[in-house]
Amino acid sequence: MTGSEVPPSFRLAYVPGVTPAKWVRTWNERFRDIPLALVAVSAAEAFGLLRSGGADAGFVRLPVDRTDLSAIPLYTETTVVVVPKDHVVAAVDEVSTEDLADDIVLHPLDDTLEWERLPGQPAIERPATTADAVELVAAGIGLLVVPQSLARLHHRKDLTYRPVTDAPESRVALSWPQDGTTDLVEDFIGIVRGRTVNSTRGRTPAAVQPKSKPAPKRSETGGGARRNPAAGKSSGKSARGGGSGAAKRGAKRGKPRRRS
């Protein structure tokens, strides 16, 4: 390799709340010679990172501008409200936005949900981040409605969360630049879609060696396939004395006793 050549690598961005571990593990098993680098990025900055070439692909939250980016929707998250453990909401299994009408509901600047009408009462100021909003909930200043993965990410022992039945939901997708659909991107798409190593739609990774062919099964006698004796050679029967092997074995059973 010359000094100007750069070894291949794959850069994968992911937004808060997304856990790419299972896909990364599969990549490392199939492409041992191609390192995968994870790039943590905020939801607001993820698309700019992809467009600038800072990552080859990324797990983002929809919607995605399909003008220059491709996307494969993966899953939809449950929306929950984060509350102190001693709040009345903690006593029920789920709530609606109407149940939150009298509470202050925080709306951070990095909110990933698309609201037609915000629930609850507005706070005096919007927190800068979801993490800041969680701290305010713990301080008893308000409640917070977020995708469940973010509630888990910012978990605290003094807080809990409950599903909100009529809140907008967040959808997670794999996205990449349309003009950057490289072979490595196609390989990662195959992993995300669950294609196997031998899938006809995916490339066969060079790092994966083909399995060796199983050895031929031996016969029950343990001697492998039987061979026909070559012409002019003994077939295994004794040529001396004209007797068979069985006759010889019978002759060795013992001498006849003499009569007294």
Side-chain angles (χ1 to χ4, degrees), residues 103-124:
D103 289 283
I104 293 176
V105 177
L106 303 166
H107 186 216
L109 295 175
D110 64 354
D111 186 12
T112 61
L113 299 173
E114 293 190 324
W115 296 95
E116 292 184 3
R117 186 171 66 89
L118 293 171
Q121 302 298 317
I124 297 175

Side-chain angles (χ1 to χ4, degrees), residues 122-140:
I124 297 175
E125 294 183 2
R126 294 183 63 183
T129 66
T130 298
D132 293 336
V134 170
E135 294 295 328
L136 293 175
V137 174

Side-chain angles (χ1 to χ4, degrees), residues 60-84:
V60 301
R61 294 186 185 275
L62 295 176
V64 171
D65 184 355
R66 303 299 182 103
T67 303
D68 58 345
L69 296 175
S70 297
I72 300 174
L74 299 177
Y75 58 89
T76 300
E77 289 195 72
T78 299
T79 301
V80 301
V81 58
V82 181
V83 301

Side-chain angles (χ1 to χ4, degrees), residues 83-90 158 160:
V83 301
K85 282 191 172 180
D86 59 356
H87 194 278
V88 63
V89 167
D158 53 348
T160 188

Side-chain angles (χ1 to χ4, degrees), residues 10 50 55-57 68-70 175-186 189:
F10 188 74
L50 293 175
D56 299 294
D68 58 345
L69 296 175
S70 297
S175 182
W176 67 96
Q178 291 180 5
D179 59 359
T181 310
T182 64
D183 287 340
L184 293 181
V185 171
E186 289 284 6
I189 292 171

Side-chain angles (χ1 to χ4, degrees), residues 121-173:
Q121 302 298 317
I124 297 175
E125 294 183 2
R126 294 183 63 183
T129 66
T130 298
D132 293 336
V134 170
E135 294 295 328
L136 293 175
V137 174
I141 295 177
L143 310 182
L144 175 65
V145 179
V146 290
Q148 183 171 307
S149 65
L150 292 180
R152 290 174 174 172
L153 177 64
H154 299 289
H155 172 71
R156 290 174 53 114
K157 292 182 179 180
D158 53 348
L159 300 180
T160 188
Y161 57 84
R162 294 292 184 268
V164 183
T165 56
D166 56 347
E169 296 174 321
S170 176
R171 293 185 297 160
V172 174

